[in-house]
Amino acid sequence: MILNLRSRRFDQTVRAYSADLYRYAYWLTHDRFTAEELVQETFARAWKNWDSLKNASATKSWLISILRNERARLYERKQLALDDNDPEDLDIPAHGPGSQPGAHLELEQFVGTLPLSYREPLLLQVLGGYDCKEIAGLLGLTEGAVMTRLTRARQALRALLEPPDRLGATP
Amino acid sequence: MNCLEFRRLKLADPRHVDAAGQAHLEACASCREFALEMDGLEERLAAQLNVAVPEGLAERLILRRKTGTPFSAKFFAMAASVFVAVAVGLTSWKFLATPNYARFAIDHVMNEPESFTTVRDADPQLLHQVMQNFGGEMLAPIGTVRYIKLCPVPGGTGWHIVFDAGDGKLATLILIPARHGKTGSEYARLGNWNAVARPGGQGFYAVITSSPDSLAKTDALIRRQLRWRS
């Protein structure tokens, strides 16, 4: 009976969060197979440690933490490089789409080339719906650092997509 | 709160503007415009990140809980890819040796059915830029653009454009860069699909529609509204 309830809750959690986790994993890895593998490993570990989840309202954050750890494990196991640059190294393009029509189109390339330290908070906010304080908690950063990274990521996005004449009054 | 503070807050978290931010927004027209722009960018970004999730993912995860056996999507996908590659290789070696752009265009459209159901970068200005880049000039609009995407084509990367060609019928225009000296037009028909490929710009352009009548009309429209520099 208890086992049934436990299984049912887990299955409900899978149905509720697997799509969000897959999208998050996809944008972290840029590979749909690796993303699915990560989500599988995440839920397998979550099932093993299901009893350690005390606060049901924090389930999604808990799963994201597991997924981040699984990603680190996977990259270590396969000896893949974690594609992170220095957080201060984000180049903000100085031009709009006028000179590069392809750049205008390929927003996914912009997301893919963002350093992980910028991409992760952006994914957590846009896909996960978290605010800066919650993201800071998930990533082990200060709220100020998260705000700075999100601001710079969006400045870069804006510079990429908007014509230069609209970029005047940006902080 | 001043404009600088508001814009910093908006850039850091466009969906959560606090009461002080809201008060500033009501009083400042310039920041209202900025906020609208940021909301638009945010919508575009959210749409882009919302990638399709593999079919049956949740069921596979639940099955794994029940059986303890991981499902290797990669293995099945690789097996399917090998099968498809061998089949395509066997049937199209002749086609690859002498590319028929009209036939390629039909195959491409059949492989991307989402181009008819998705609205993507439907920006007339962008179409102008793409045409210019490809060596063309738009003398007049060709219709309402619904979809523009960079796609792999023989010999490199081309443009896949879907537009409303009138009477609610969708037509596809594919721009294919090519360097060889083929000069003639090519026609192809497969099922309901009809295509014509003509030299133009930096290679060929192909028009694809779902009936011979609409192909003739759309082909005439394209020839009337577009001028190629080569």
Side-chain angles (χ1 to χ4, degrees), chain B residues 58-217:
Chain B
E59 284 66 32
R60 286 196 291 281
L61 294 168
I62 291 168
L63 190 66
R64 179 171 180 181
R65 177 196 53 79
K66 288 176 180 164
T67 64
T69 312
F71 173 89
S72 175
K74 196 170 194 169
F75 171 79
F76 285 105
M78 278 174 67
S81 302
V82 168
F83 177 78
V84 168
V86 169
V88 168
L90 286 173
T91 56
S92 63
W93 63 272
K94 190 176 176 185
F95 162 68
L96 289 173
T98 52
N100 178 316
Y101 292 119
R103 174 59 198 268
F104 158 78
I106 290 180
D107 287 342
H108 186 80
V109 166
M110 288 172 73
N111 282 322
E112 293 205 0
E114 73 276 10
S115 66
F116 295 110
T117 54
T118 313
V119 175
R120 186 183 198 277
D121 290 304
D123 179 356
Q125 185 56 36
L126 186 60
L127 181 63
H128 273 274
Q129 289 169 10
V130 166
M131 287 298 177
Q132 267 190 340
N133 207 32
F134 193 72
E137 186 188 349
M138 291 188 66
L139 305 174
I142 56 172
T144 307
V145 183
R146 293 170 46 96
Y147 182 92
I148 303 180
K149 193 184 176 198
L150 270 175
C151 284
V153 296
T157 308
W159 294 94
H160 184 157
I161 298 153
V162 177
F163 60 100
D164 189 337
D167 303 333
K169 288 187 177 164
L170 296 180
T172 301
L173 176 65
I174 296 184
L175 307 180
I176 308 164
R179 288 195 181 135
H180 54 76
K182 275 172 90 171
T183 51
S185 300
E186 296 170 342
Y187 292 85
R189 184 172 185 183
L190 187 65
N192 290 330
W193 295 106
N194 298 268
V196 55
R198 300 184 188 281
Q202 293 182 14
F204 274 72
Y205 71 92
V207 181
I208 308 96
T209 65
S210 56
S211 78
D213 282 353
S214 59
L215 179 68
K217 277 185 200 163

Side-chain angles (χ1 to χ4, degrees), chain A residues 7-8 10-12 14-15 18-20 22-23 26-27 31-34 36-37 39-41 43-44 47 78 97-98 100-102 104-111 122-123 125-132 146-148 150-151 154-155 157-158 161-162 166-167 169-171, chain B residues 3-16 30 33-34 36-38 41-42 44-62 64-66 69-78 81 120-121 123 126 129-130 133 148-150 159:
Chain A
S7 303
R8 211 162 52 231
F10 176 82
D11 293 356
Q12 284 169 350
V14 168
R15 292 188 200 287
S18 56
D20 285 350
Y22 173 83
R23 291 190 182 106
Y26 173 81
W27 286 107
D31 182 295
R32 58 199 176 101
F33 297 117
T34 309
E36 179 159 348
E37 191 180 343
V39 175
Q40 286 214 27
E41 294 307 318
F43 277 105
W47 177 238
K78 296 194 173 176
Q100 290 186 354
H104 185 116
L105 278 175
E106 301 310 321
L107 181 55
E108 62 257 49
Q109 284 175 4
F110 164 81
V111 177
L122 194 64
L123 295 176
Q125 193 172 70
V126 180
L127 283 176
Y130 293 106
D131 64 24
C132 294
V146 169
M147 288 179 76
T148 302
L150 287 167
T151 298
R154 285 200 176 86
Q155 279 177 323
L157 171 66
R158 190 168 174 247
L161 298 179
E162 291 297 324
R166 293 195 65 185
L167 296 177
T170 311
Chain B
C3 294
L4 193 65
E5 289 166 335
F6 172 80
R7 289 174 187 219
R8 278 191 178 140
L9 277 179
K10 187 74 182 168
L11 281 164
D13 195 347
R15 294 181 205 171
H16 298 105
S30 159
E33 192 185 335
F34 176 80
L36 273 177
E37 181 206 326
M38 288 310 302
L41 285 182
E42 200 64 10
R44 254 186 97 175
L45 182 61
Q48 190 73 56
L49 296 183
N50 193 25
V51 292
V53 175
E55 246 178 77
L57 174 66
E59 284 66 32
R60 286 196 291 281
L61 294 168
I62 291 168
R64 179 171 180 181
R65 177 196 53 79
K66 288 176 180 164
T69 312
F71 173 89
S72 175
K74 196 170 194 169
F75 171 79
F76 285 105
M78 278 174 67
S81 302
R120 186 183 198 277
D121 290 304
D123 179 356
L126 186 60
Q129 289 169 10
V130 166
N133 207 32
I148 303 180
K149 193 184 176 198
L150 270 175
W159 294 94

